Amino acid sequence: MLKRYPFLKYSLGVLASLILIIVCFGFWFVSLLPAKKLNIENTIAEEIPYLSQNRISNRGKILTVVTSTAVMGKSQKKTGYELTELSRAYYVFQANGYEVSVASPLGGKAPVVLDKEDMGIYDYAFLNDEEAKEKINNTLVLEDIDFKEYDAVFFVGGKGAMFDFPNHPMIHEMLKNYYENNKVIGAVCHGPAALVNVKLSNGSALLKDKKITSFTNEEELFLIPEAKNIFPFLLEEEIRKQGAKFISSEKYLEKVNHDENIITGQNPWSTWKVAETMIKQLGHTPKEREITGEENAVSVLAVYKSKGKKAAKEKISEFMFDNSKPVDRLLIAQHSMLEVLGGKVSGFVDLVSLVSFIKSCEKKLLKNN
């Protein structure tokens, strides 16, 4: 048959070559990824200097609120609160001298989303923290709380928040009281759903004319194309409808808006900054913390988006050689795949080259040491 149809032989040869190239590229790409961190799952809070050293005496109380919703509407898709958005804020508040409570609309054990690819030492320390486990397994019922005891409230993200935060009477009453008494309000990712539909004493919407951010329409629809049919509304869209000045960044990069006593973050990667901005709003300089490799990677991605690959490489060198700071190449590799899914081949190539550059920097540092 191949003699009779020579073009078929040529086509099979091309196909075989393409398959070989793809397989070789796949092995090379995997080789760029960091090895799994050993024993990170066993991290305990006492091993982290930020949490165990130079402890700050009690300054007050902060309430964190998580969703009680375990399923997204009629879709049967599982949901809950995002562990990383609670654990990181929890430890920032605690390290800065605040007692932290965890509440939910229904109380008890709230449904949680664990994304192991995004989890770091603080998240595993939280899971191994007996006091924290007691709080998340027995969350306080919102309606039973005397919210006046707290100096601030923080609404944790997770898609479940879209269902039980927007119309909860206790949340409405609390936020009206906190805003009008200049108490601190924080929310991240889908957490700002709590701000929707809140009316102040003068009848105006809490969100009117406020600089707000949240998980964006672009981020939502990229992950769940049918989101409009699953959620009661798209969060960015609803926030805009209620008169807010919605300000966002590139998808899946850090963005925090601070307007008076309201601090909001766009997505999970904004959690650290939201929590530390809340501490500033409470009148304190946040305790010094070693910035994580993930946060440095997000900074590199922001430079890449605004200034290009060359500037991003310079930022990597600055972190790693000038300041001896890690850069999480796994996160940048994950963003390279997002570029592919978005049809941006050039972006994929650029980010893969950045991952390769980080790996080569790590080798140089290891050799020099």
Side-chain angles (χ1 to χ4, degrees):
M1 181 181 289
L2 293 179
K3 290 182 179 179
R4 188 173 180 182
Y5 301 104
F7 69 88
L8 185 58
K9 180 179 180 180
Y10 173 78
S11 298
L12 289 174
V14 171
L15 180 60
S17 297
L18 285 173
I19 292 173
L20 181 61
I21 290 170
I22 291 170
V23 170
C24 290
F25 176 80
F27 278 112
W28 175 75
F29 181 77
V30 170
S31 75
L32 296 178
L33 304 180
K36 184 179 179 181
K37 296 177 182 177
L38 298 176
N39 300 320
I40 189 174
E41 294 90 347
N42 299 320
T43 304
I44 58 175
E46 288 74 16
E47 296 173 343
I48 303 174
Y50 175 66
L51 302 177
S52 61
Q53 298 176 8
N54 304 316
R55 296 190 179 187
I56 297 172
S57 58
N58 192 4
R59 287 170 165 166
K61 297 172 68 176
I62 294 178
L63 179 67
T64 62
V65 183
V66 300
T67 180
S68 294
T69 302
V71 178
M72 288 186 250
K74 298 178 181 179
S75 71
Q76 300 306 306
K77 293 178 182 288
K78 292 183 178 180
T79 188
Y81 69 89
E82 293 282 345
L83 179 89
T84 60
E85 295 175 25
L86 173 62
S87 57
R88 298 172 189 186
Y90 178 95
Y91 280 135
V92 168
F93 300 149
Q94 192 177 80
N96 282 279
Y98 284 87
E99 180 185 338
V100 186
S101 298
V102 184
S104 66
L106 298 180
K109 188 172 183 178
V112 61
V113 175
L114 297 175
D115 189 341
K116 291 190 176 180
E117 289 185 352
D118 294 333
M119 288 177 64
I121 60 171
Y122 288 90
D123 312 306
Y124 283 110
F126 186 86
L127 290 178
N128 296 325
D129 186 326
E130 292 301 322
E131 183 178 315
K133 283 196 292 185
E134 173 66 21
K135 291 177 180 178
I136 60 174
N137 288 332
N138 300 279
T139 64
L140 304 174
V141 181
L142 266 177
E143 291 182 353
D144 294 342
I145 290 173
D146 181 0
F147 59 79
K148 295 178 182 178
E149 292 182 2
Y150 296 90
D151 303 289
V153 63
F154 173 72
F155 292 93
V156 179
K159 299 182 189 302
M162 294 287 288
F163 298 91
D164 57 3
F165 281 8
N167 296 304
H168 196 286
M170 178 67 170
I171 289 177
H172 288 194
E173 180 63 25
M174 182 194 310
L175 288 176
K176 180 182 78 170
N177 179 282
Y178 275 31
Y179 179 74
E180 294 179 346
N181 288 281
N182 205 35
K183 287 192 173 184
V184 178
I185 298 166
V188 72
C189 200
H190 289 89
L195 309 179
V196 170
N197 300 329
V198 177
K199 298 289 186 182
L200 301 177
S201 297
N202 62 9
S204 67
L206 170 66
L207 288 171
K208 184 174 175 57
D209 297 326
K210 303 297 188 304
K211 294 176 183 177
I212 300 291
T213 194
S214 73
F215 207 58
T216 65
N217 289 355
E218 182 184 18
E219 290 168 320
E220 197 78 87
L221 294 169
F222 186 83
L223 292 176
I224 307 179
E226 67 275 23
K228 289 183 179 180
N229 298 321
I230 293 176
F231 297 116
F233 49 80
L234 291 180
L235 187 51
E236 174 188 341
E237 190 174 287
E238 191 64 27
I239 288 171
R240 289 183 184 275
K241 280 182 182 178
Q242 297 196 16
K245 299 173 183 177
F246 193 90
I247 305 171
S248 60
S249 181
E250 293 277 351
K251 66 175 182 286
Y252 310 120
L253 295 183
E254 178 192 272
K255 178 62 181 177
V256 172
N257 285 334
H258 183 184
D259 192 318
E260 298 179 338
N261 56 329
I262 302 176
I263 298 113
T264 50
Q266 182 173 325
N267 47 43
W269 297 274
S270 308
T271 303
W272 290 112
K273 189 173 180 181
V274 168
E276 290 176 337
T277 304
M278 289 177 67
I279 296 299
K280 291 178 184 177
Q281 183 64 23
L282 284 162
H284 311 290
T285 299
K287 183 178 178 181
E288 188 174 345
R289 174 178 61 84
E290 184 175 354
I291 303 303
T292 66
E294 180 187 74
E295 290 172 275
N296 292 334
V298 169
S299 296
V300 168
L301 288 165
V303 170
Y304 167 72
K305 290 292 185 179
S306 61
K307 299 180 180 179
K309 184 172 71 172
K310 182 180 178 182
K313 284 189 173 183
E314 290 173 354
K315 189 67 175 177
I316 291 167
S317 295
E318 178 188 327
F319 276 133
M320 301 185 73
F321 293 114
D322 297 344
N323 299 310
S324 300
K325 301 294 184 184
V327 178
D328 186 346
R329 52 189 156 102
L330 177 59
L331 181 63
I332 295 179
Q334 290 171 338
H335 273 258
S336 75
M337 299 310 297
L338 293 176
E339 294 291 304
V340 170
L341 294 173
K344 299 177 181 178
V345 177
S346 62
F348 168 75
V349 172
D350 283 349
L351 293 186
V352 168
S353 73
L354 292 182
V355 175
S356 180
F357 181 67
I358 294 169
K359 185 176 181 180
S360 68
C361 291
E362 289 173 352
K363 286 183 176 180
K364 287 180 182 178
L365 288 169
L366 188 61
K367 186 177 179 180
N368 293 338
N369 292 332

